[in-house]
Amino acid sequence: MVELGFRLTKFVESSSFPFKEVSDLSRREKGNGRPPHWNMVFWWSRKPLSSARSVIVGSLVGSNISKDEFLKILDKNKKFEGKLLDPFAGFGSIPLEGLRLNLEVTASDLLPTSYIFLKAILQYSRKEMAEKVEKWGNWIYEKLKEDPEIKEIFDGVVAYIGSWEVKCPYCGGWTPLLENWWLAKVNRKMKRLAWMEPEVKDGKVNIKVIDLGKVNAKVEDKMNKVIVGDKVFHLPRGNNEPRKRAFTCLICGRRVNYIEINGKKVPYVKYAISSFYTSDRPIARQRLLVKVKQEEGLRFEPCENQDKLDLSRVNLLDVDVPKEKIPGYSKLNIKLPLYGIDEWYKMFSSVHLVVLLKLVKLIREVGEITADEELMSFLAISLSKTVDYNSLVSHWNIGAMNVGDTLAFRGLPIVWNWCAVNPVSDFLGSWKKAVEATIRGINYLSSYLPKERKVRVLLSDVSSLNLGEYDLIVTDPPYFFDVIYSELSDLYYVWIKRALSGVKDGKLIPKFFKEAFFDGERERKTQWEEFGLKEVSLEPKRLGSKARKEEGLEHYRSLLNSSFKSMSSHLKDEGVLVTFYSSNYLVAWELLVEAGINAGLKIVNAFPLLTEFKESVATRGKRSKNVSVILVWKKGKLEDGNEQIIDKISSHIREKLRELLALGLTDQDLAISVFASSLILITSYKVSDLGKVMENAYLLTLRELERSFNSF
């Protein structure tokens, strides 16, 4: 057992911390070497286990060791003594590594969905559980396989590719909306190329599939051409232009953008899709375009029969149909309510709903038979993964020729090539594949973690914790307005709530994890309604439809201050608090630093770690975030010396810039990392205007970056 010696300066505080070597480990892990349990279900911010492990170990051992000695300790998987708290535990990378290092771990999260995932991963993932999940997952699979409705809907099809089609206001014909017509565009030496071609006949748009198979071809995207030898194929151009709020009718060729309603111009497509849910005579409908079959590889066929989309297949009065509200206030991240998709069930076609409702009822039946809450947590994970791949926001991935998951977009946009997967197929997005992923995850975790685990998992917001003191707090709090967790993870919540609850007199009643879904006997309808105002992230409209950004910032400031004060109160006097953080916004850093200072904490070290893979969902749509900045906090009083602080910051920035350039950091990652290192000085001194000092530090960073680049 390693002696801690908590009165010593910790290794994570020293300049010897090997953040380049740890980043290299993290890079491999975030790429193809990701831990198998990550594939059980999607979660947004999952820090590489190697980065979590290195930060924890660095916070436990003294600074009187060398870099090489530290790396050896990481490799040898030594055991430690001590108490670790992660109050924003999310998917559990940090507490997982704490358990592996033999620490006494407390993992807490505000959201019921994360709470159930954490219970499964940290507490229930044992070898015998993999056998149970296999047994009952297969039991559900066999029930689905013999279900006549599932047989009739899919009938040899592994997946459908669908889209929306609208009624043209000029010719009255129905035209599908697609941004492109590709089905397969696999960029290897021998390309697999396939696409759809619309054919207009008798006022109807029919779909023809062109499949070249694997060919040696040249694709000219700008010219919409495929050249194979001396043969040239001209691809149809997409007729849907969402950014311009326009489409072209494939029948009459007219371009359509707006419709006038009550004297106001309204985007026609939004109005049309809304009518699907509100009108007896809608001018939009869902359409299945292509069948995907798995016969010695994938084969595509046009889908002519649309009966499978008949909504009468679903009893909308069934308590298992999720009619909870989708929040309409976060138009930046959740665009669906703009199209009339304002309740969760509306995010699914009838094909999706038939499959998911059957799964919910079968999982509930397993619960009645087994009364095994631990097993049910993993079946809930498999259900969540199936939901993620089967909605109107899933999408067909033309490069991989598989289904892209709903939450891949970091929001809920409208999608024009959604998919529905046969639950008993051997295809990504099926129940079968979800169960297999869960079993692999459990087997990995059971071999990775010790049999004896000292762990508590709590459902709580940070400021409500009252747990005593900890040697170490390591956490990855939400990054400003990066992800609105309460709202987005409701995609899982509304389904697993049903699968893990009982039903009586047409209402859900507590069964498994009742603390997650019920407050006493009162059902918690959604996470965003129940917990949104407690989530430490910026979303002003949680305060009300008329709330201004300034009010949202003040609410966020209050939450952040309460969180840091709570963490400080749980930290031993000689303990260490480590936060992962990154943002492109100066105000986010200012509020973070202010919260730490108000809690009696100061930053004693700051360095970058690569925690995101460049092509990961976590970086999509961002200018940065390949790195997180590790901020090491300790309790301490601030010093006088405000008058010299800018000169000290300027000198520090120049030195840190040379160091980080040598590591290969570039662009926003470099700027954020250099700037963040100046926080060590900023939180060491009493400053009269924190915002001004931080702004000057950021401007100094940009100036030094410009000088450095101009010198090349």
Side-chain angles (χ1 to χ4, degrees), residues 532-571:
L533 284 173
K534 295 181 179 180
E535 182 179 317
V536 187
S537 60
L538 179 65
E539 175 45 80
K541 298 304 179 185
R542 286 174 179 156
L543 299 169
S545 60
K546 296 182 179 180
R548 293 174 290 111
K549 184 179 179 181
E550 292 75 17
E551 293 173 283
L553 280 169
E554 192 55 41
H555 182 66
Y556 175 70
R557 171 186 272 117
S558 175
L559 291 171
L560 203 57
N561 273 273
S562 296
S563 297
F564 267 83
K565 286 177 181 177
S566 176
M567 289 190 288
S568 182
S569 71
H570 284 88
L571 191 64

Side-chain angles (χ1 to χ4, degrees), residues 664-695:
L665 288 186
T666 59
D667 303 327
Q668 284 288 321
D669 286 335
L670 178 61
I672 287 171
S673 300
V674 172
F675 163 72
S677 71
S678 71
L679 302 181
I680 301 168
L681 287 168
I682 293 172
T683 61
S684 296
Y685 297 98
K686 297 175 184 176
V687 294
S688 56
D689 189 340
L690 178 64
K692 188 65 176 175
V693 171
M694 292 187 66
E695 182 181 359

Side-chain angles (χ1 to χ4, degrees), residues 194-357:
W195 62 88
M196 297 172 277
E197 286 190 356
E199 293 186 328
V200 178
K201 185 177 181 182
D202 299 328
K204 288 183 61 179
V205 179
N206 299 313
I207 298 298
K208 179 182 177 182
V209 171
I210 306 297
D211 193 341
L212 303 184
K214 292 183 179 180
V215 292
N216 188 357
K218 180 181 180 182
V219 179
E220 295 184 0
D221 287 314
K222 290 184 179 180
M223 303 300 295
N224 275 45
K225 288 196 303 188
V226 172
I227 303 171
V228 183
D230 57 0
K231 193 167 185 180
V232 179
F233 296 88
H234 294 274
L235 276 70
R237 293 187 180 275
N239 69 321
N240 189 20
E241 303 172 80
R243 292 184 180 180
K244 295 182 179 179
R245 301 178 177 182
F247 73 93
T248 300
C249 176
L250 294 171
I251 299 169
C252 69
R254 297 283 293 273
R255 195 166 185 267
V256 182
N257 46 20
Y258 291 96
I259 184 173
E260 192 167 299
I261 304 294
N262 298 325
K264 290 185 178 180
K265 277 189 172 183
V266 179
Y268 186 86
V269 172
K270 287 183 180 178
Y271 176 77
I273 293 176
S274 294
S275 77
F276 178 77
Y277 300 101
T278 59
S279 175
D280 292 333
R281 301 178 67 183
I283 54 174
R285 63 192 182 191
Q286 296 153 8
R287 176 171 175 178
L288 300 177
L289 299 171
V290 171
K291 305 174 187 176
V292 183
K293 295 189 173 182
Q294 211 165 20
E295 299 169 358
E296 296 182 359
L298 293 189
R299 185 160 60 85
F300 304 103
E301 294 180 1
C303 187
E304 298 172 358
N305 187 347
Q306 301 298 312
D307 292 346
K308 297 168 178 59
L309 287 173
D310 187 350
L311 200 55
S312 65
R313 290 178 178 275
V314 180
N315 175 14
L316 294 180
L317 298 177
D318 188 340
V319 68
D320 288 332
V321 175
K323 292 188 176 180
E324 291 89 341
K325 290 286 184 183
I326 296 176
Y329 50 70
S330 186
K331 294 179 176 60
L332 183 66
N333 291 294
I334 301 178
K335 299 184 183 297
L336 297 181
L338 299 173
Y339 295 81
I341 304 174
D342 55 1
E343 295 173 291
W344 283 103
Y345 84 93
K346 295 177 183 178
M347 200 174 125
F348 304 89
S349 72
S350 57
V351 173
H352 298 126
L353 287 172
V354 166
V355 171
L356 296 176
L357 289 169

Side-chain angles (χ1 to χ4, degrees), residues 5-33:
F6 273 101
R7 295 192 179 278
L8 294 173
T9 302
K10 303 301 181 292
F11 187 74
V12 75
E13 300 175 53
S14 77
S15 59
S16 299
F17 190 91
F19 51 87
K20 181 182 186 301
E21 289 83 351
V22 174
S23 290
D24 288 341
L25 292 172
S26 299
R27 184 180 291 108
R28 290 195 290 272
E29 195 175 315
K30 272 290 189 174
N32 295 327

